[in-house]
Amino acid sequence: SRILENPRYDATLSALYGAATPGDPEAVFRAATSAIAAFEGTDSFAPFDSKYDRYLRGEAQLTDEEELGRILFFSQQFTNCNLCHQLRKSAIAADETFTDYSYHNIGVPANAAARAVNGAAGPDLGLLANPAVEDPAAAGKFKVPTLRNVAVTGPYMHNGVFEDLRTVILFYNKYNSKAAARQINPETGEAWAAPEVPGTLSMDKLTTGPALDDERIDALVAFLETLTDSRYEYLLDRDTASAGTGGTDTDR
Ligand code: HEC
């Protein structure tokens, strides 16, 4: 009914998909779903015109820092990012979506404040909260998100528990660093809070690779900023692009 209240939707959906009536919500839903899917298939929805895409086409040059971040991101040796955030076989595929669409529990802490505001009780079980899913191993898993436009779409994780992109990289680094300073969440000044759902973490992947020093952390952030569609580039805060605000090399 809400969709058909808009005379333009009513007329267009009827013209494209046959007369829709408020009495047939399934038909309206199917028509709207199909129309949205058609939009999602357009270049306007997914322009692939970020600095990274322009670089792949030879139309832009990455800075040394961005290039280091690119190498690290796709490396089998220095980071684990591509174990989950790479769809295509080739590291220079033009249509990389930066997710393999799998589900993982990476140990994100609860956002207690958000849960309270929403009146939500107990832990967020992620994939297992889907009534169609029964496997207890699905608890705490979330679909790997794309990293396109990630630099301009904070706060981060499904529950917005981290404000800064750099914090996300530091969060991953806690799994591989033994330095005491790396066990501190810079946004709270306290130790990283425990995973909201323990027991199902993808530890094998999360612990693949060595600890990252500040230079590499900043480079990864700089690389992720290049994944911003050109229409959103003005939103990038260039000042934070490479601000080495964390510890020193010895914190590695
Ligand atoms: C085991 C799979 C896995 C690995 C390895 C991994 N990620 Fe993720 N990543 C995820 C999942 C799943 C989420 C979503 C978690 C959530 O919302 O709770 C995520 C979320 C993110 C986000 C936040 C996205 C947003 O919009 O909130 C960023 C940024 C990110 N990952 C970057 C990286 C980088 C950089 C690396 C390598 C250092 C990496 N990831 C390694 C699975 C992984």
Side-chain angles (χ1 to χ4, degrees), residues 72-73 79-85 100 102-108 140-150 153-160 162 165 168-169 172-173 202-207 212 220-221 224:
L72 291 170
F73 184 90
T79 68
N80 49 41
C81 315
N82 70 341
L83 298 179
C84 300
H85 290 283
D100 64 4
S102 59
Y103 289 81
H104 290 279
N105 180 356
I106 60 169
V108 173
K141 292 189 179 175
F142 288 84
K143 191 187 274 181
V144 178
T146 180
L147 298 178
R148 287 186 173 271
N149 295 313
V150 74
T153 52
Y156 297 106
M157 304 310 187
H158 65 276
N159 56 5
F162 300 134
L165 194 49
V168 177
I169 314 291
Y172 282 111
N173 197 38
S202 296
M203 280 309 270
D204 50 338
K205 291 190 164 62
L206 292 168
T207 55
L212 303 166
L220 281 169
V221 173
L224 293 177

Side-chain angles (χ1 to χ4, degrees), residues 195-230:
E196 181 161 21
V197 179
T200 56
L201 273 73
S202 296
M203 280 309 270
D204 50 338
K205 291 190 164 62
L206 292 168
T207 55
T208 296
L212 303 166
D213 62 15
D214 276 331
E215 186 191 4
R216 290 183 175 183
I217 289 166
D218 290 339
L220 281 169
V221 173
F223 170 66
L224 293 177
E225 292 187 332
T226 71
L227 306 183
T228 310
D229 291 354
S230 55

Side-chain angles (χ1 to χ4, degrees), residues 37-96:
F39 171 58
E40 287 176 347
T42 65
D43 289 348
S44 154
F45 183 80
F48 286 69
D49 64 357
S50 67
K51 183 174 185 186
Y52 175 68
D53 300 296
R54 302 195 302 271
Y55 152 81
L56 289 180
R57 293 194 291 264
E59 297 164 11
Q61 272 212 312
L62 299 186
T63 66
D64 290 349
E65 188 179 42
E66 291 163 348
E67 173 64 7
L68 174 62
R70 187 185 71 82
I71 302 279
L72 291 170
F73 184 90
F74 287 108
S75 138
Q76 320 274 329
Q77 189 183 353
F78 297 112
T79 68
N80 49 41
C81 315
N82 70 341
L83 298 179
C84 300
H85 290 283
Q86 182 178 349
L87 181 66
R88 302 300 180 199
K89 280 218 167 60
S90 163
I92 51 166
D95 56 355
E96 181 55 63

